[in-house]
Amino acid sequence: MQYYFRIDEIEENVESFSKHDNEGIWEPSIEPGDNVATGGGISGMWWGCDGQTVSQTHLPRRSMLYKACSMYFNGGEGFRVLDGDATRPSRDTAWHPLRFDWDETNYSSYLTAAGQHSTLRTQRADQVWPRMLLPDIYHTQSFTSNSQYGGLKGDLPTFLGLLAFSVHPARLQDILPTLFRDGSWHTYSLEHGRGHRRTLVVYVYCGSMAKSELQQLEEGMFGLYYN
């Protein structure tokens, strides 16, 4: 069970023309060349997840791209997500608010840019990860005491992007390997890295896992990211 990923810091080109949506919320341009790599953080580094640990590595030859997504954080407006690489946008791409689909079987929340809900399905008082990954605007008023409810699953690049946003870029190289160990995702409790208009692009490549297995991973069939 193996997949590989890279998380690059990007920003809007100073000569580009950013825009605002119908609600007056800033969003970066999606014109070719208007978003550029900046370096910093763990830009350019490849990481591998073998089902037990996450460690820095090299992308093997003949690896296949599974998914890429771009994300930015804009203060009190939260996250926006773009399907693909914002530095090389496709013609029909667009930024969408981070959303969730709700699983009414185990009351977990599925990360997506195309979901029907703006908050988590339910939370427990003992959970740290909602505060770690998400500003208050994504938290729910629906709480539970059932330890089997309130987990997280969904789009893998989006999840990895949220992990990166939860850590200051300068600390990410040291912290990232500690977040996944013994086959489970762990939490981080120091200052988050959600700087105003910080923007990332996340690439996920198949390793020994087939695309269908990565889809199953996203669906929580190998366990939830957090519970």
Side-chain angles (χ1 to χ4, degrees):
M1 179 178 176
Q2 182 104 30
Y3 64 85
Y4 301 89
F5 63 93
R6 195 176 91 197
I7 304 173
D8 290 352
E9 306 277 338
I10 65 174
E11 67 180 13
E12 194 173 43
N13 189 321
V14 294
E15 298 180 356
S16 68
F17 293 95
S18 57
K19 62 179 183 179
H20 296 75
D21 66 14
N22 293 334
E23 299 178 352
I25 299 172
W26 171 86
E27 58 183 43
S29 169
I30 53 172
E31 295 298 318
D34 278 359
N35 294 289
V36 296
T38 62
I42 56 173
S43 297
M45 300 177 187
W46 285 101
W47 300 81
C49 179
D50 62 6
Q52 289 298 310
T53 61
V54 163
S55 59
Q56 193 175 347
T57 186
H58 298 284
L59 182 67
R61 296 178 62 183
R62 299 183 181 178
S63 297
M64 294 180 60
L65 178 66
Y66 174 60
K67 284 182 182 178
C69 84
S70 302
M71 303 176 65
Y72 72 86
F73 181 74
N74 187 17
E77 306 298 341
F79 293 101
R80 294 293 188 275
V81 183
L82 178 146
D83 183 18
D85 182 350
T87 67
R88 300 173 182 174
S90 60
R91 194 172 286 182
D92 59 349
T93 195
W95 294 98
H96 297 282
L98 176 65
R99 289 290 184 263
F100 307 89
D101 282 329
W102 291 351
D103 187 329
E104 298 297 347
T105 302
N106 60 8
Y107 295 92
S108 62
S109 301
Y110 186 102
L111 292 164
T112 175
Q116 300 189 16
H117 304 283
S118 60
T119 67
L120 299 171
R121 173 61 181 87
T122 190
Q123 292 172 236
R124 303 191 312 273
D126 65 332
Q127 290 175 308
V128 174
W129 68 261
R131 298 189 299 274
M132 168 187 156
L133 294 183
L134 299 164
D136 290 347
I137 59 171
Y138 297 109
H139 295 186
T140 182
Q141 298 301 310
S142 174
F143 281 81
T144 180
S145 60
N146 190 319
S147 62
Q148 301 302 309
Y149 292 169
L152 184 70
K153 58 185 178 180
D155 183 74
L156 180 57
T158 302
F159 172 67
L160 295 170
L162 290 176
L163 286 174
F165 277 110
S166 75
V167 180
H168 190 280
R171 303 203 62 179
L172 191 51
Q173 185 175 0
D174 294 328
I175 297 299
L176 183 57
T178 73
L179 294 180
F180 189 80
R181 58 185 188 275
D182 301 323
S184 299
W185 289 102
H186 295 259
T187 55
Y188 168 79
S189 59
L190 299 181
E191 185 179 5
H192 67 72
R194 295 191 291 270
H196 185 54
R197 296 187 180 180
R198 182 184 176 192
T199 309
L200 305 172
V201 57
V202 183
Y203 312 87
V204 175
Y205 276 72
C206 300
S208 61
M209 298 184 74
K211 287 188 175 183
S212 60
E213 291 177 304
L214 282 170
Q215 291 170 343
Q216 292 173 347
L217 176 69
E218 293 177 320
E219 292 289 345
M221 297 181 68
F222 299 113
L224 301 173
Y225 299 139
Y226 287 115
N227 192 32

